[in-house]
Amino acid sequence: MVIDQLFWLFFMTFILLLIEGFYCVTVTYNLFRILIGLEVLIKAVTLFVIAAGYLSGHLALAQSIVITIIVIEVVVVVVAAGIILGFFREFDSLNVKNARRMKG
Amino acid sequence: MMNKEALLLAAIFAPIFGALILPLLGRVSQGLRNNTALALVALSCLCSLSFIPSVMGGKNIIFSFALPLSLSLTFYADTLAVFMAVVSSFIGAIIVLYSFDYISHYDNQNEYYLMVVLFLGAMMGLVYSANLIYLFLFWEITAIACWRLIGFYRGQRDVLKADKAFLVTVFGALVMLIGFVAIFQQTGTFNLIIMRGQVLPDIIVALILFGILSKSATLPFQTWLPDAGVAPSPVTALLHAAVLVKIGVYVFARLFLMTFMISSSWHATVMMIAGASALVAAGAALVETDIKRLVAYSTISQIGFIFLGLAAGNMVGAVGGLLYILMHGLAKGGLFLCAGIIEQNAKTKDITRMGGLIRTMPVTAMAFLFCAFSVMGIPPLGGFFSKFMVISGGIKSGEIWLTLVFIVGAFMTILYLFRAFTLIFLGESKGYPSREGSKMMVACVALLAILSLAGGLLANYPIGFLKTAGYQMVGLLK
Amino acid sequence: MMLLSVLLILLVLISLWAVMTPLLLRAAIGLAATSALLTMIMYQLGAPLAAVFELSVCAGLISVVFVSVVSLTHRLPLKEFMKRRQSRIKRFIFLPLLLVAALAIMLTIKLPFQLQLPAADKISDVRVMLWNIRRIDLFGQIMALLAGVYGVLILFRGRKTDGD
Amino acid sequence: MTYLLLFIPFAILILINLFPREKRTEPAFWLGLAVLVFQAGAVVASQFGYWGTILTSQLESVFGFNLQLYKMGHVLVMASALAGATALLVARATLKNKRDRFNFVGLLLVSLIGINGIAMVTDIFTLYIFIEVTALATFILIMLNREQAAFEGAFKYLIMSVVATVLMLAAVSLFILIGGGTSFLDVKMAVISDPLAYTALLLFLCGLFIKGGMVPFHGWLPDAYSSAPTAVSVWLAGIVTKASGIYALIRLMVIFGGLEPLQNIMLTVGAASIVIGALAALGQKELKRLLAYSSISQMGYIVIALGSGTVLGIFAALFHFFNHTLFKATLFANVAAVEEQTGTQEMEKLGGLAQKMPITGLTSAIASLSTAGLPPLSGFWSKLLIIIALWISGHYFFAAVAVLASVVTLAYFLLLQRQAFFGLVPAALKEVREAGPILLIPAVFLSLLIVVIGLVFPFMIQMVLR
Amino acid sequence: MILEFSFRFDQFSIFIASSIAIFTLLIGLYALIFMKGNRASGQFLVYFFLNCFFAIGAVLANNLILLLFFWESLLLTMFGMIMVGGRESYKTAIKAFIIIGITDLCMMVGIALTGQLAGTFTMSAISVSTAGLGGFAFIMLMIGALAKAGAMPFHTWIPDAASDAPLPFMALIPGALEKLIGIYFLTRVSLELFKIEPASWASLLLMIVGAVTIIFAVLMALIQKDFKKLLSYHAISQVGYMVLGIGTALPVGIIGGLFHMINNALYKSCLFLTGGAVEKEAGTTDLTKLGGLAWQMPVTFACFVVAALSISGVPPFNGFFSKELVYDGALERGWIFYAVAVAGSFFTAASFLKLGHAAFLGRSDTKSKEAPWPMLLPMVVIAAACIIFGVYNTLPIDRIIAPILGSHALEGHKFSGLPANMFLVLMTLIVLAGAVLNHLYGVKKSGKAIGAADHIHYAPVMHSLYDRAEKKIFDPYEIGMKLANVAARILYGIDRFVDWFYEVFTVRIVLLFTSLIKWAHSGNISTYVIWSLVGSIAVLVMAWR
């Protein structure tokens, strides 16, 4: 019984963090804050992987997966930061409007 | 004697693959390219002609190469196929001959000859193929060739019209493809020889009819044909008169007369559609002032007659419909080529601004008149027999009122052809100094007129040949 | 069990704060705090290696990158900043309400289906798992890093200095 | 065989960077090309079974990767080789900056490794990793020449791919929770037994849909394709989106094809992307954006074929997958040629280029007609098989949608031909000449391939079906 | 099954064929001279003799299709001959072609229908009832025959041709040949193919058409001022008698009709030939300019008198005897038909008196010598034939026409010789006297020969009718052309609507969707993310449902 309760606890946190992440990405006007949102999402997923590993007893597998995820997502976020710098260099502002020019 | 299969393959693939080398020859010398183009088409015509004796004797030639998923490549030369092959390749040859002079002073001629010969090769392939998918394959190749040919002058309007024609025909063809796939699901094969005598449910017939009507420019889809008048006139002759629109009619005959049995209610519906199309097109022809559009509308109207014959469901109608294809091909081809000469010399397409050309272009005038008589169905010319048989077929099928609609159509045919003849040739000339077309073009036109006349006098041979095709028909309610 | 739930609640609150703070610098710091908290949770769940990795990479490297990006991009002028503040408050106010609503819903409904868990894994040591069984992942990581190197090379270099 | 596909590009990648700074772009290009040619050769050779088993066994022990190349993988590897070669040639012709060209080769090799990885993966997490690697390499490729629009396109692609990652990893974690492992076998066991795992599979599918650019998830695709430099668009459109999104879908549908609801999802998403992709393409003003929407529509065909749930459907999807690479690469190569000669890709400014650039005109005509599925070319056969598969499996409505949408496909390609190639030459483009040989070789080779496959296909079926 | 090339040589068809041949020979001789000046005379003569070939072919054919083949070929030769007439004659040529072309198409339907009803196309084997569909077929065939014969509704091209076409054409075709073939076919249809009974609606219809043709055509003829136009109207009205005769379906009427056919061919062609001679010598056929030719062209005048008397039905000549038989038949079927027929002959007599008086008597202000002998020879021969057929009328009736009906139909009594019914003869004499009186009254009233019929012309009611007729209001061809153009415009409207549907409607719908989708791609990243989330939820819901 305890496993179900524990799973439900982790699942709730995961869902809440997801909502935070997605809300931040979609609502913000600032490009940097989008990055923050993305980072929150990644943290949520990492948490959930570890929780799954813990609950199902496959902790070793979960840990190795988390390590790989962290490495890859770091690179992604660094590239994203680079892009934001590129935007800044072009428009001197981090406003999301600059990223809406391609329509149709 | 070279075995028949090799000849059959030569008839089909010689023009198709030969066409690809024409542009290269074109770079070497124009004459060489023109003659090779003519030779290719003539070759396929001769091959088809050589099949006539054996086919008349009942031995149909078949070539098949087994492939999985029932996509086996099968070509089958029976009476109907040989007849269509001979008609279209013969008229095609004349048109290629005609276009030597017509196209000589325009640019991108290489593409023109490539597409014309490819078109005729695809027509041969379509006529002989006994596998639905290959039939569709060649059907679409003709659509591509048409697209390039209609857009020959590359003007903004021409290309728009070419695209329109391409889209309408491809749309119809795709609906037909759904029909073919449905047949595949029902019978498990695409091979027509195996499926002979199967009964088709109404849905499939409707789908295939959709495609046929779009290709043969009947009422719901007829507007692309007059619009294709922007093409050079040998192309419109090839397209409208002799070959392209006949594809739809041929497939109707091949599927619903030779292979499948369809419920008799379809006969009445097809005749109704054909009747409406004949009337509307005849009306439009009576009002039209552009010479090519006028003759195109007349083609749509005559196609209605062919459908009347084929959908009549009896021997007289079917043989009449097929004979109509031959006679109409010759006569309408002649009319279009005359239109070409007139347009090239009178520098205008608008018949209201022409006049009195008979004095300067007597031979073309006579040819135009003879071909017009043949289209109207005046006796000494071939059109009479086909029109009579089509109408007696219509009456025999019991649809008296529908046949009367066609008679009104025939009345209007006489009216608009004479209106055209008078506005162009008679009356006083409106100051356009027009001299006779070049020797070759006039010869072609005269040849077609004489052939129409010969068609009338020697009508017994084609009718006899078609009667053998008639006996093999499955779809006829005897 | 009790400690774990407290940590999880803290994690959600900190990340909420990180998302909603007006100042970008504070957001970056908030993010570092969340990853620290995550490390503690992982440690609690008995996944030390992952925890250490998370701490060093996420809390460390990413925070550094974020802070440097914030510093590189100059702040909005005050007037602009105040105007933007109002509009952001108006937009972000729904987030906490949404969270509370989601929490309420999830508390009420139970897990619709019974959870059958598989047999525990034989290999308990991460090192063995990572190096022997999941060797392809390492290769993937190397490739990702290589791509990252190219990315940095291209993105962070100065104005288009002409190549060699 | 499997390891070579990974290690050779890796080795070359390292080798390239060893060259001294000045003399490295030229050899890099040739070495890159060599890798791709080797790859293509390897696939063709393996078709005829020359690829001895000896070679693979030693490497097996050394590295212990559990990789396995199925028949499907061959298609992907071959397609990536072709698309890669075209991209390299186009890049050599269009990218002026030497440094950019060098980086292009490097990044191309990285994403090539990613794609080869996807082709051979047997574990769902490894699949995620390789998808992520290719995505990473592609983000940077898009921003190669640091144009302003490129930033926006890459940024959108990045965000969407992170969203996809989140979905995929949530699914992976659930698989670990239920199945205990991430290999396809465990996943298969879990999904069959447990509904939670079934939901996880759906999440994973959504992730792949985002990566593949299917309709509700396709927002990023037109911006990414049109903003990237044309050489990158060739690679992106040719293989990356398809490999990371569609190929994985094919792998999953091979395993889970039987499930009825999955088929429905595939059919609806496929049909939606066909129709909306085609209609959107009809209204476009620029060439690349039009081709982007056309890619969405064509990938919709592949997905709808998967929805039929029959082996013929899978085969048709794979065949269309391969054909699509051919036409898309040719079309983008043509766009590159046009852009290089006329300097613009707005269709209004173009016209009658077939007169000035006959070869480009011809190849673009062949590719367009083949995409629209007109018979003599290969596109027809794949569309035909898709329709037959759909019709026989009973999905009449979807088969009809697939067929009739190809009329809209033809419509927008005719629009392209009319605006760019088929009309009369406007004054501004009088001095346009034919594109350079480097640009023409890929276009001609690929269109030749289209025509040959079109003619040879019926005879080829036996060999492939086996 | 479809077409056997079979001919039939029975009494009737041989007779018609031989008369065609004789007429073509005579008028051909005449034409050689007449057309010498015309530049297209060679072309004209080709058509002329080709026409004879086709006519004989049509008459001898035993298969309905073969008959139709030759029948419609006549169209071509007729069209050719009228075209040769002059620069402006193409309008009439086309008018004639269209009228007869359309009626031939009706005939084609009729033949197809009869063939289908009877099961075979060989005429000798066909016998179909006029009930229902058969009736429709009969009407169609009747239309074909009447049009060829030139009866009322389809006659309007003949007066125009009179002025435009070369005269030998008028002499041969409307004058003789058409009547022969048209009535031949009408008899075949009504007697052999359909065997109409006297009481049936078909015979009533025929009689009405005959009567109408007689009266209206002759009224129009009365007021004509041109020699050839007047003759052409008379050609139309004479057909009325034949149709009336055959329409009675009584042996006496039929014999009368057929006999009248031959007589008409004789005197009508002779009149045309005299007209030709006048035109050649006097240079014009306008009656107001002509006068006093009797003494300058005695032979022509003599032939004209013989022919005029026989057409008016004056006793010793052939016209009288055939009209008597027709009167007998008409009276038996209904007095109204008889009254119309008699009135017809009254006006015929009046108009010929006017013509003779204006053209030949009175002062001659033009100097014209006699026509050359080759033109005179045919006139004299035909005039002689008129007299012989009149006086010794047993020869034509007993030996040629009677066998056509076969002995049973004749119920024994003989028709040749003097007319049996004296009352009819009396009435005819009274009518002729009346015509002479009217002529004298007309000439005295108007003072000149040409005005002989003016008092009828400008009578209150008649005046407005005549004006409208002159302006071709009642001409079915004009009405038909207007109708066709209106119908064409409507049909063209349909065609344009279908075109609009493609060019504008579908294109706009599609572009509407396209712009909708393009608007949806707003470009900002949050919309795309929201789409993806909504999409995934949708996928989950769809899978779970």
Side-chain angles (χ1 to χ4, degrees), chain B residues 55-369:
Chain B
V55 162
M56 283 291 273
K59 307 199 299 309
N60 297 338
I61 303 126
I62 182 161
F63 164 83
S64 78
F65 181 87
L67 290 169
L69 208 62
S70 83
L71 286 175
S72 53
L73 182 70
T74 42
F75 292 112
Y76 180 64
D78 65 353
T79 42
L80 178 64
V82 168
F83 171 74
M84 279 306 289
V86 168
V87 166
S88 41
S89 57
F90 180 72
I91 297 173
I94 294 177
I95 287 166
V96 168
L97 194 66
Y98 174 88
S99 49
F100 284 170
D101 285 349
Y102 189 89
I103 294 294
S104 54
H105 47 273
Y106 292 111
D107 49 12
N108 49 47
Q109 294 175 17
N110 290 345
E111 192 199 276
Y112 170 82
Y113 282 105
L114 167 76
M115 285 303 166
V116 167
V117 176
L118 184 71
F119 179 89
L120 286 166
M123 180 66 184
M124 289 302 118
L126 184 131
V127 157
Y128 283 122
S129 71
N131 182 322
L132 282 176
I133 288 304
Y134 289 100
L135 188 127
F136 181 78
L137 190 140
F138 288 115
W139 175 293
E140 287 287 15
I141 296 178
T142 53
I144 298 174
C146 268
W147 170 52
R148 295 303 288 193
L149 284 170
I150 296 176
F152 175 72
Y153 289 122
R154 296 285 193 278
Q156 175 64 10
R157 217 174 68 80
D158 310 338
V159 174
L160 246 158
K161 294 294 180 232
D163 289 352
K164 176 179 171 185
F166 196 24
L167 279 173
V168 170
T169 33
V170 163
F171 176 64
L174 285 175
V175 173
M176 194 171 75
L177 182 66
I178 298 176
F180 287 168
V181 169
I183 291 177
F184 176 70
Q185 189 197 19
Q186 181 188 335
T187 58
T189 166
F190 284 114
N191 192 327
L192 288 175
I193 306 163
I194 302 166
M195 290 193 283
R196 203 169 154 72
Q198 290 262 0
V199 180
L200 281 187
D202 285 351
I203 296 294
I204 297 182
V205 175
L207 288 172
I208 294 176
L209 210 57
F210 202 94
I212 287 171
L213 293 184
S214 81
K215 192 76 174 184
S216 60
T218 318
L219 190 59
F221 310 101
Q222 88 280 16
T223 51
W224 66 270
L225 198 60
D227 287 353
V230 295
S233 81
V235 169
T236 45
L238 192 69
L239 255 54
H240 301 175
V243 184
L244 180 74
V245 282
K246 301 297 190 302
I247 291 176
V249 170
Y250 163 75
V251 170
F252 183 89
R254 168 66 64 192
L255 294 185
F256 300 133
L257 291 183
M258 287 299 235
T259 325
F260 297 108
M261 314 272 280
I262 53 175
S263 71
S264 66
S265 66
W266 277 111
H267 292 295
T269 8
V270 169
M271 282 159 95
M272 242 177 274
I273 299 169
S277 162
L279 261 187
V280 166
L286 203 51
V287 169
E288 191 56 55
T289 53
D290 176 328
I291 185 166
K292 284 220 200 122
R293 289 178 61 87
L294 187 140
V295 185
Y297 275 120
S298 120
T299 308
I300 301 170
S301 172
Q302 302 306 320
I303 296 287
F305 279 91
I306 299 177
F307 271 121
L308 165 69
L310 294 181
N314 47 45
M315 178 63 123
V316 178
V319 170
L322 294 175
L323 186 70
Y324 210 105
I325 294 175
L326 169 66
M327 297 305 172
H328 178 260
L330 292 171
K332 197 48 68 64
L335 282 184
F336 262 106
L337 298 186
C338 289
I341 297 174
I342 296 159
E343 182 220 348
Q344 213 168 34
N345 292 339
K347 303 286 181 301
T348 164
K349 280 194 190 169
D350 181 355
I351 54 178
T352 46
R353 293 218 302 281
M354 297 179 193
L357 292 181
I358 194 164
R359 276 178 288 288
T360 47
M361 305 159 80
V363 178
T364 326
M366 274 309 123
F368 187 95
L369 198 61

Side-chain angles (χ1 to χ4, degrees), chain C residues 111 113-119 121 131-148 150-155 157-164, chain D residues 6-7 10 13 17 21 24 62-65 67 97-99 103 106-107 110 113 123 125-126 129-130 133 136 140 143-146 151 177-180 182 194-196:
Chain C
L111 190 64
F113 33 77
Q114 199 39 23
L115 208 57
Q116 308 92 1
L117 296 178
D121 194 351
W131 280 102
N132 298 350
I133 300 168
R134 301 218 57 93
R135 197 168 286 163
I136 196 79
D137 296 4
L138 292 176
F139 181 76
Q141 284 174 25
I142 299 162
M143 282 303 113
L145 287 171
L146 211 58
Y150 270 104
V152 166
L153 245 173
I154 290 170
L155 287 175
R157 194 178 343 93
R159 235 26 212 121
K160 282 201 198 54
T161 55
D162 193 5
D164 49 5
Chain D
L6 287 184
F7 284 111
F10 183 58
L13 189 62
N17 291 318
R21 174 174 285 274
R24 61 182 181 178
V62 165
F63 289 99
F65 295 165
L67 293 174
N97 184 324
K98 280 178 90 66
R99 172 190 301 277
N103 294 341
L107 284 166
V110 170
I113 293 165
D123 176 296
F125 182 68
T126 339
I129 290 171
F130 280 116
V133 164
L136 253 174
I140 300 147
M143 291 180 297
L144 205 57
N145 45 25
R146 283 175 303 290
F151 283 114
L177 184 67
I178 311 288
T182 57
D194 189 314
L196 190 60

Side-chain angles (χ1 to χ4, degrees), chain D residues 203-215:
Chain D
L203 284 178
F204 197 85
L205 280 186
C206 293
L208 290 179
F209 280 146
I210 295 175
K211 279 283 178 198
M214 284 296 106
V215 159

